[in-house]
Amino acid sequence: MYDIVIIGAGIAGSFIARELSRFKLKILIVDRQNDVGNETTEANSAIIHAGYDAMADQLKGKFNAPGNKMFDTICDELDVPFKRIGSLVLGFNEDDRKTIQNLYNNGLKNNVPDMRILEKDEILQMEPKLNEDVVCALYAPTAGIIGAWEFAIASVENAMDNGVELELETEVTGIEKENFGYRIYTNKGEKDTKYIINCAGVYADVINNMVTEPYFSITPRKGNYYVLDKGLDLVNHIIFLCPTDKGKGVIITPTVHGNILIGPDSEFVNDKDSTATDVSGLRYVKERALLSSKAIPFNKVIRTFAGLRAHSDRNDFIIEEAKGAKGFINVAGFESPGLSAIPAVAQYVVNIMQKLTGGLIYKDNFNPRRRKTVCFNLLSDEEKKDIIKKNPMYGNIICRCETVTEAEIVDAINRNCGARSVKAVKKRTRAGMGRCQGGFCSPRVMEILARELGKDWTDIPYDSTKSYILTEETKRNQQDNDSKMGG
Amino acid sequence: MISYDIVVIGGGPAGLAAAIEARNYGVKKILVLERDKELGGILQQCIHNGFGLHIFKEELTGPEYAERFITELKSLKIDYKINTMVLTITKDKTIHAVNPKDGYMVIQAKAIVLAMGCRERTAGAISIPGTRPSGVFTAGTAQRYINVEGYMVGRRVVILGSGDIGLIMARRMTLEGAKVLCVVELMPFSGGLTRNIVQCLNDFDIPLYLSHTVTNIKGKDRVEGVTIARVDENRLPIPGTEIDYDCDTLLLSIGLIPENELTVKAGAQIDMRTNGPVVNESMETTISGVFACGNVVHVHDLVDFVTEESRRAGRSAAKYVQKKLVEDGNEFKIEALNGISYIIPQTVRIDNVDKSLDLYLRVRNVYDRVKLVIKADQETIKEINKRHMAPGEMEHIVLSKDLLQEKSFERLTIEVKEGI
Amino acid sequence: MNKQELICINCPIGCHLEVTKTDQGLKVSGNQCKRGEIYAVNEITAPSRVLTSTVRVNSSFLRRLPVRTNKPIPKSMIFQAMEIIDKIVVNTPITIGDVITDNLMRTGVDLIASRSLSE
């Protein structure tokens, strides 16, 4: 019997699990994917918004700016890449100026610090590659960029370090109310629990409807993105266009790893698994991005992807005990600024749990710090020298584009919440994330995975266990025969 | 600090030939750095035959071609390190490299030869719409899995791009029991060698669809199918021409890109047309004493030409170390005009040209019965009739030193003139 | 007239050949060298190919050894040859050119190692 089962290991489920791992609770996280942070979490803008655009009377507005403030400490504890590079919302005409003034005023209501409205000269000084037609911009220095999936992985790892359990490729098929709480039916058996926290992303309504009357719906909003190669000197801040009804508009931003990310468009789709990129969406992204900067080198694109945002018909986060289901808490409609708000949201959820349980008890031995990961590429020459001496596997470069060593990959596999697939290695170490997209390193990553997990190469998947990479060995007609030769 | 006269970065065909040639020209302290677990580079996975016709007058497989050079390198007692990755090169020719055995190394060289080869263009680079399941491989990666690691990558295969590796892999996968459904080429002509179309596709009745592309990838976990469509003259898919294929694998053979991250970091000038460094007649980059050869300079279709070019680079590096290379003197630029996509080298110091100057170029389109017109500052100095030229086949032009010395000029141009 | 068109595969030039059946035998045109003529006649009368593949190898360094036929084999026998190759296992050390299987399918052609492998 679990105290709490968290359904979904995205940003919300992962970080809520980590915050609840401070208390004496038996907690299980289940996710239908073969890795944590494998849906919306791995396919979004990875931005920590300053908090000026959500309305103050909404949960989005209530939690964004406070959440933003908490990232420095959290990312230090969890060893997650995070940089406060600031954001600019560009205005090109008088209408935009009004919008920017409104955003500024709303930001004041939300207690967003240090905002300024900039004029053309200063903008172009800060960002010389922007479209010179820019007339004004809202500058919010507290906006930042983060490694989004690293944040989910680190949260779950830290939660597991503190006793939380994780079961992957576990899909919830039904939930029954019991006198002790709930019985959750999954493809991997039943889980009994007193409380459920529903963090199922675009499926949050489906999960809710397993226990109670439908009272909200989640519609996925798809967004296409381009990823550009490293080393392009394009922008230093997060660049927004003025928001439209299609969301915050197309963003150009550096990533924490030095790539450039451009996107998303916004299209409501019916299929909750529809992460296929599409021509029209990508074209829209390109056209809109070129309004912000005409200097984007689209010939340096190394990848395109699409992700889904979980948009609720309440047009806000839904964070509450479900109507008609005691002890079942929804964390739903968690679209942007969900990532930015999660630290504050998690505290709010902890408070809900405090009330429901009549008081949670702190663990004495809670460790808020995740063991630091080594990023060989970022070490100084002297540090590189020392670390190879200690562990020669740091001298074996597996991914040449991102300079990822064998030691880093082995570590990523053998930690709590360790990598089980080629993609999971990529998310943790960046091996295969670079310009050759794993062309050179994927056979070697597979070799290391097979060795560390004691599996055959053919059993190492790209992502889910169904996403096999290799079909079988060549020369499989091997049998005893007389053709042998040699020593 | 370790020091060498010449450090060669890359132990593939380019690096091996350059190192051997430099030794034959009298340089004693030479070091080859190779990132893989053995020398030979990509040739070790190119188990098909067709290598060496120019250099050895016989048809060798990739490993056989490589082994001849590896044996020679070893017999010449040239130092080499395997499993070694170069992290940076500086302008003063210091090399930072790591391997598990020696750890972090700083190596000072008098001259450097860049021979890092190239990488494959990926699905990401061409933004094929659709899902991102497993089962999409670049042809070279599939080649490594099948030929070196001994694993098949799929059973029903569509290949996008008719570059040589794609064609070779069509045959290879067919022989290993896979069904290759078709090869799809965006351009109206193949980028591969004719012999490969005959031997790898026609022999096995594999259709080649020119002016087609892949417009969608389907499948959640593993590729379940692709859609192909005909393209118009702007290379955009024509609606209504789509054909769906049920397949578990999409192989990509959509081009190779010289791998020049080290070159760029070192500060050498890059030619946007080749994606490789700008080089002179001695295969020297814009950094004095840093030479480059093979696919890191421009993508070759025959390894024999890589060997020839790399010997030139190795010879030049030897001369540089021996201070025999003329650093100044008359210099002219070479420019590609109508119909030519690029020419190697980009600059020439005539004093370093021995008897003749070798130029390598690619044309932009397929041409039949045309002339290559070579001009020195507006004045035509040579015309060469060409029966047939294609982008997939590199052209080699030899100009005698006498011809180039008749009078001084600043700019040598080459263009395609149609209608002869 | 009995004509057949071929593309020569001897070298990268890829000459477009035309083979005509005459009373005096086969007549080849379009070739730029003697090898083209030989290829065309062979291709019409007895097409053959050098076959390259890999075999299993008991080695700590490599999982597959590249091999090839030392001469072309009849095109029609290629898949039959692959079935034989699929069953071969070799041990190290191997020297380049070592015969892996001699007289493959009684063609007089040997299957040989394309590389050396010490361990």
mmCIF file of all heavy atoms in Angstrom, chain A residues 457 473-479 481 483-487, chain C residues 53-54 56 63-64 82 86-87 89-92 99-100:
data_model
loop_
_atom_site.group_PDB
_atom_site.id
_atom_site.type_symbol
_atom_site.label_atom_id
_atom_site.label_comp_id
_atom_site.label_asym_id
_atom_site.label_seq_id
_atom_site.Cartn_x
_atom_site.Cartn_y
_atom_site.Cartn_z
ATOM 1 N N TRP A 457 22.696 -6.484 -27.682
ATOM 2 C CA TRP A 457 22.509 -5.238 -28.449
ATOM 3 C C TRP A 457 21.083 -5.116 -28.978
ATOM 4 O O TRP A 457 20.517 -4.018 -29.003
ATOM 5 C CB TRP A 457 23.473 -5.188 -29.642
ATOM 6 C CG TRP A 457 24.890 -4.869 -29.290
ATOM 7 C CD1 TRP A 457 25.606 -5.351 -28.231
ATOM 8 C CD2 TRP A 457 25.771 -3.988 -29.997
ATOM 9 N NE1 TRP A 457 26.873 -4.835 -28.255
ATOM 10 C CE2 TRP A 457 27.008 -4.006 -29.321
ATOM 11 C CE3 TRP A 457 25.633 -3.204 -31.145
ATOM 12 C CZ2 TRP A 457 28.101 -3.259 -29.750
ATOM 13 C CZ3 TRP A 457 26.727 -2.462 -31.583
ATOM 14 C CH2 TRP A 457 27.943 -2.484 -30.885
ATOM 15 N N GLU A 473 21.000 -10.403 -35.548
ATOM 16 C CA GLU A 473 22.390 -10.459 -35.988
ATOM 17 C C GLU A 473 22.446 -10.805 -37.469
ATOM 18 O O GLU A 473 21.557 -11.484 -37.989
ATOM 19 C CB GLU A 473 23.146 -11.538 -35.199
ATOM 20 C CG GLU A 473 23.492 -11.113 -33.800
ATOM 21 C CD GLU A 473 24.636 -11.942 -33.231
ATOM 22 O OE1 GLU A 473 25.669 -12.087 -33.911
ATOM 23 O OE2 GLU A 473 24.469 -12.454 -32.119
ATOM 24 N N THR A 474 23.481 -10.347 -38.133
ATOM 25 C CA THR A 474 23.738 -10.851 -39.484
ATOM 26 C C THR A 474 24.317 -12.254 -39.332
ATOM 27 O O THR A 474 24.716 -12.649 -38.247
ATOM 28 C CB THR A 474 24.763 -9.983 -40.237
ATOM 29 O OG1 THR A 474 26.002 -10.028 -39.534
ATOM 30 C CG2 THR A 474 24.298 -8.535 -40.330
ATOM 31 N N LYS A 475 24.336 -12.982 -40.405
ATOM 32 C CA LYS A 475 24.909 -14.346 -40.406
ATOM 33 C C LYS A 475 24.215 -15.211 -39.367
ATOM 34 O O LYS A 475 24.835 -15.915 -38.596
ATOM 35 C CB LYS A 475 26.430 -14.297 -40.125
ATOM 36 C CG LYS A 475 27.182 -13.248 -40.891
ATOM 37 C CD LYS A 475 27.111 -13.487 -42.368
ATOM 38 C CE LYS A 475 27.420 -12.203 -43.104
ATOM 39 N NZ LYS A 475 27.154 -12.310 -44.530
ATOM 40 N N ARG A 476 22.885 -15.112 -39.326
ATOM 41 C CA ARG A 476 22.157 -15.838 -38.295
ATOM 42 C C ARG A 476 21.964 -17.308 -38.660
ATOM 43 O O ARG A 476 21.450 -18.078 -37.877
ATOM 44 C CB ARG A 476 20.816 -15.167 -38.025
ATOM 45 C CG ARG A 476 19.904 -15.132 -39.219
ATOM 46 C CD ARG A 476 18.737 -14.205 -38.985
ATOM 47 N NE ARG A 476 17.873 -14.159 -40.144
ATOM 48 C CZ ARG A 476 18.136 -13.463 -41.239
ATOM 49 N NH1 ARG A 476 19.244 -12.765 -41.328
ATOM 50 N NH2 ARG A 476 17.312 -13.475 -42.266
ATOM 51 N N ASN A 477 22.344 -17.694 -39.877
ATOM 52 C CA ASN A 477 22.205 -19.101 -40.263
ATOM 53 C C ASN A 477 23.365 -19.937 -39.758
ATOM 54 O O ASN A 477 23.645 -20.999 -40.271
ATOM 55 C CB ASN A 477 22.137 -19.225 -41.791
ATOM 56 C CG ASN A 477 20.927 -18.513 -42.325
ATOM 57 O OD1 ASN A 477 19.910 -18.424 -41.644
ATOM 58 N ND2 ASN A 477 21.038 -17.969 -43.519
ATOM 59 N N GLN A 478 24.017 -19.390 -38.755
ATOM 60 C CA GLN A 478 25.192 -20.074 -38.235
ATOM 61 C C GLN A 478 24.832 -21.472 -37.739
ATOM 62 O O GLN A 478 23.837 -21.667 -37.067
ATOM 63 C CB GLN A 478 25.754 -19.251 -37.068
ATOM 64 C CG GLN A 478 27.002 -19.838 -36.508
ATOM 65 C CD GLN A 478 27.240 -19.326 -35.098
ATOM 66 O OE1 GLN A 478 26.397 -18.625 -34.540
ATOM 67 N NE2 GLN A 478 28.356 -19.669 -34.535
ATOM 68 N N GLN A 479 25.625 -22.453 -38.089
ATOM 69 C CA GLN A 479 25.458 -23.803 -37.553
ATOM 70 C C GLN A 479 26.801 -24.504 -37.686
ATOM 71 O O GLN A 479 27.703 -24.022 -38.355
ATOM 72 C CB GLN A 479 24.386 -24.560 -38.311
ATOM 73 C CG GLN A 479 24.560 -24.479 -39.823
ATOM 74 C CD GLN A 479 23.403 -25.100 -40.558
ATOM 75 O OE1 GLN A 479 23.550 -26.114 -41.190
ATOM 76 N NE2 GLN A 479 22.238 -24.495 -40.473
ATOM 77 N N ASN A 481 29.577 -26.520 -39.006
ATOM 78 C CA ASN A 481 29.900 -26.919 -40.374
ATOM 79 C C ASN A 481 31.409 -27.034 -40.487
ATOM 80 O O ASN A 481 32.149 -26.757 -39.546
ATOM 81 C CB ASN A 481 29.345 -25.903 -41.378
ATOM 82 C CG ASN A 481 29.876 -24.515 -41.107
ATOM 83 O OD1 ASN A 481 31.064 -24.269 -41.253
ATOM 84 N ND2 ASN A 481 29.018 -23.607 -40.670
ATOM 85 N N SER A 483 33.468 -25.370 -42.410
ATOM 86 C CA SER A 483 34.142 -24.270 -43.102
ATOM 87 C C SER A 483 35.114 -23.509 -42.213
ATOM 88 O O SER A 483 35.626 -22.487 -42.610
ATOM 89 C CB SER A 483 33.112 -23.280 -43.631
ATOM 90 O OG SER A 483 32.034 -23.973 -44.151
ATOM 91 N N LYS A 484 35.289 -23.997 -40.980
ATOM 92 C CA LYS A 484 36.161 -23.242 -40.076
ATOM 93 C C LYS A 484 37.611 -23.290 -40.544
ATOM 94 O O LYS A 484 38.042 -24.227 -41.188
ATOM 95 C CB LYS A 484 36.063 -23.832 -38.665
ATOM 96 C CG LYS A 484 34.701 -23.574 -38.061
ATOM 97 C CD LYS A 484 34.669 -23.986 -36.615
ATOM 98 C CE LYS A 484 33.255 -23.803 -36.094
ATOM 99 N NZ LYS A 484 33.119 -24.214 -34.722
ATOM 100 N N MET A 485 38.289 -22.257 -40.209
ATOM 101 C CA MET A 485 39.703 -22.211 -40.582
ATOM 102 C C MET A 485 40.454 -21.366 -39.574
ATOM 103 O O MET A 485 39.889 -20.815 -38.660
ATOM 104 C CB MET A 485 39.889 -21.619 -41.974
ATOM 105 C CG MET A 485 39.453 -20.190 -42.056
ATOM 106 S SD MET A 485 40.515 -19.033 -42.881
ATOM 107 C CE MET A 485 42.120 -19.559 -42.565
ATOM 108 N N GLY A 486 41.750 -21.300 -39.798
ATOM 109 C CA GLY A 486 42.571 -20.400 -38.978
ATOM 110 C C GLY A 486 42.978 -21.045 -37.672
ATOM 111 O O GLY A 486 42.650 -22.206 -37.395
ATOM 112 N N GLY A 487 43.718 -20.285 -36.850
ATOM 113 C CA GLY A 487 44.308 -20.800 -35.622
ATOM 114 C C GLY A 487 43.274 -21.019 -34.571
ATOM 115 O O GLY A 487 43.445 -21.731 -33.633
ATOM 116 N N SER C 53 31.275 -9.606 -48.620
ATOM 117 C CA SER C 53 30.377 -9.799 -47.476
ATOM 118 C C SER C 53 31.219 -9.887 -46.205
ATOM 119 O O SER C 53 32.373 -9.455 -46.197
ATOM 120 C CB SER C 53 29.543 -11.071 -47.682
ATOM 121 O OG SER C 53 28.569 -11.174 -46.663
ATOM 122 N N THR C 54 30.601 -10.426 -45.153
ATOM 123 C CA THR C 54 31.343 -10.650 -43.910
ATOM 124 C C THR C 54 31.052 -12.067 -43.443
ATOM 125 O O THR C 54 30.065 -12.671 -43.856
ATOM 126 C CB THR C 54 30.902 -9.685 -42.793
ATOM 127 O OG1 THR C 54 29.512 -9.887 -42.531
ATOM 128 C CG2 THR C 54 31.147 -8.238 -43.167
ATOM 129 N N ARG C 56 31.243 -14.557 -39.666
ATOM 130 C CA ARG C 56 31.452 -14.536 -38.213
ATOM 131 C C ARG C 56 32.912 -14.845 -37.911
ATOM 132 O O ARG C 56 33.523 -15.670 -38.575
ATOM 133 C CB ARG C 56 30.586 -15.602 -37.532
ATOM 134 C CG ARG C 56 29.162 -15.192 -37.348
ATOM 135 C CD ARG C 56 28.397 -16.291 -36.626
ATOM 136 N NE ARG C 56 27.009 -15.924 -36.540
ATOM 137 C CZ ARG C 56 26.447 -15.429 -35.430
ATOM 138 N NH1 ARG C 56 27.160 -15.276 -34.332
ATOM 139 N NH2 ARG C 56 25.167 -15.109 -35.424
ATOM 140 N N ARG C 63 33.614 -8.390 -34.537
ATOM 141 C CA ARG C 63 32.565 -9.419 -34.546
ATOM 142 C C ARG C 63 32.371 -10.043 -35.924
ATOM 143 O O ARG C 63 31.800 -11.109 -36.057
ATOM 144 C CB ARG C 63 31.246 -8.813 -34.061
ATOM 145 C CG ARG C 63 31.315 -8.324 -32.599
ATOM 146 C CD ARG C 63 30.127 -7.454 -32.264
ATOM 147 N NE ARG C 63 28.894 -8.065 -32.732
ATOM 148 C CZ ARG C 63 28.152 -8.899 -32.012
ATOM 149 N NH1 ARG C 63 28.504 -9.198 -30.803
ATOM 150 N NH2 ARG C 63 27.055 -9.408 -32.517
ATOM 151 N N ARG C 64 32.797 -9.301 -36.954
ATOM 152 C CA ARG C 64 32.653 -9.816 -38.313
ATOM 153 C C ARG C 64 33.943 -9.553 -39.094
ATOM 154 O O ARG C 64 34.541 -8.479 -38.962
ATOM 155 C CB ARG C 64 31.495 -9.122 -39.055
ATOM 156 C CG ARG C 64 30.108 -9.384 -38.488
ATOM 157 C CD ARG C 64 29.674 -10.825 -38.698
ATOM 158 N NE ARG C 64 28.332 -11.055 -38.150
ATOM 159 C CZ ARG C 64 28.080 -11.381 -36.892
ATOM 160 N NH1 ARG C 64 29.076 -11.530 -36.027
ATOM 161 N NH2 ARG C 64 26.846 -11.588 -36.486
ATOM 162 N N MET C 82 25.736 -16.414 -50.805
ATOM 163 C CA MET C 82 25.452 -15.753 -49.518
ATOM 164 C C MET C 82 24.996 -16.776 -48.472
ATOM 165 O O MET C 82 25.328 -16.665 -47.303
ATOM 166 C CB MET C 82 24.383 -14.675 -49.696
ATOM 167 C CG MET C 82 24.885 -13.373 -50.286
ATOM 168 S SD MET C 82 26.213 -12.594 -49.349
ATOM 169 C CE MET C 82 25.335 -12.094 -47.869
ATOM 170 N N ASP C 86 26.885 -17.197 -44.977
ATOM 171 C CA ASP C 86 26.153 -16.991 -43.725
ATOM 172 C C ASP C 86 26.500 -18.034 -42.663
ATOM 173 O O ASP C 86 26.260 -17.823 -41.478
ATOM 174 C CB ASP C 86 24.637 -17.057 -43.987
ATOM 175 C CG ASP C 86 24.086 -15.714 -44.428
ATOM 176 O OD1 ASP C 86 24.874 -14.754 -44.491
ATOM 177 O OD2 ASP C 86 22.882 -15.632 -44.719
ATOM 178 N N LYS C 87 26.999 -19.181 -43.100
ATOM 179 C CA LYS C 87 27.229 -20.288 -42.142
ATOM 180 C C LYS C 87 28.675 -20.381 -41.693
ATOM 181 O O LYS C 87 29.006 -21.200 -40.842
ATOM 182 C CB LYS C 87 26.802 -21.599 -42.781
ATOM 183 C CG LYS C 87 25.299 -21.668 -42.978
ATOM 184 C CD LYS C 87 24.875 -22.932 -43.689
ATOM 185 C CE LYS C 87 23.377 -22.900 -43.926
ATOM 186 N NZ LYS C 87 23.002 -23.397 -45.258
ATOM 187 N N VAL C 89 32.170 -19.688 -39.862
ATOM 188 C CA VAL C 89 32.772 -19.072 -38.675
ATOM 189 C C VAL C 89 34.272 -19.275 -38.774
ATOM 190 O O VAL C 89 34.723 -20.387 -39.066
ATOM 191 C CB VAL C 89 32.271 -19.725 -37.377
ATOM 192 C CG1 VAL C 89 32.826 -18.974 -36.171
ATOM 193 C CG2 VAL C 89 30.753 -19.746 -37.330
ATOM 194 N N VAL C 90 35.044 -18.215 -38.559
ATOM 195 C CA VAL C 90 36.499 -18.356 -38.634
ATOM 196 C C VAL C 90 37.136 -17.961 -37.310
ATOM 197 O O VAL C 90 36.523 -17.287 -36.479
ATOM 198 C CB VAL C 90 37.106 -17.504 -39.785
ATOM 199 C CG1 VAL C 90 36.602 -17.990 -41.122
ATOM 200 C CG2 VAL C 90 36.811 -16.038 -39.584
ATOM 201 N N ASN C 91 38.381 -18.399 -37.144
ATOM 202 C CA ASN C 91 39.149 -18.052 -35.956
ATOM 203 C C ASN C 91 40.356 -17.208 -36.333
ATOM 204 O O ASN C 91 40.863 -17.304 -37.448
ATOM 205 C CB ASN C 91 39.629 -19.329 -35.256
ATOM 206 C CG ASN C 91 38.461 -20.120 -34.686
ATOM 207 O OD1 ASN C 91 37.569 -19.555 -34.034
ATOM 208 N ND2 ASN C 91 38.439 -21.402 -34.970
ATOM 209 N N THR C 92 40.826 -16.444 -35.388
ATOM 210 C CA THR C 92 42.032 -15.645 -35.595
ATOM 211 C C THR C 92 43.242 -16.532 -35.292
ATOM 212 O O THR C 92 43.088 -17.541 -34.606
ATOM 213 C CB THR C 92 42.032 -14.427 -34.669
ATOM 214 O OG1 THR C 92 41.879 -14.872 -33.325
ATOM 215 C CG2 THR C 92 40.923 -13.466 -35.038
ATOM 216 N N VAL C 99 42.609 -17.805 -47.612
ATOM 217 C CA VAL C 99 41.427 -18.419 -48.220
ATOM 218 C C VAL C 99 40.494 -18.891 -47.100
ATOM 219 O O VAL C 99 40.893 -19.635 -46.215
ATOM 220 C CB VAL C 99 41.835 -19.606 -49.131
ATOM 221 C CG1 VAL C 99 40.597 -20.326 -49.651
ATOM 222 C CG2 VAL C 99 42.681 -19.099 -50.291
ATOM 223 N N ILE C 100 39.272 -18.416 -47.143
ATOM 224 C CA ILE C 100 38.279 -18.790 -46.135
ATOM 225 C C ILE C 100 37.565 -20.058 -46.594
ATOM 226 O O ILE C 100 37.360 -20.993 -45.842
ATOM 227 C CB ILE C 100 37.253 -17.649 -45.935
ATOM 228 C CG1 ILE C 100 37.961 -16.338 -45.568
ATOM 229 C CG2 ILE C 100 36.199 -18.027 -44.910
ATOM 230 C CD1 ILE C 100 38.668 -16.331 -44.246
#
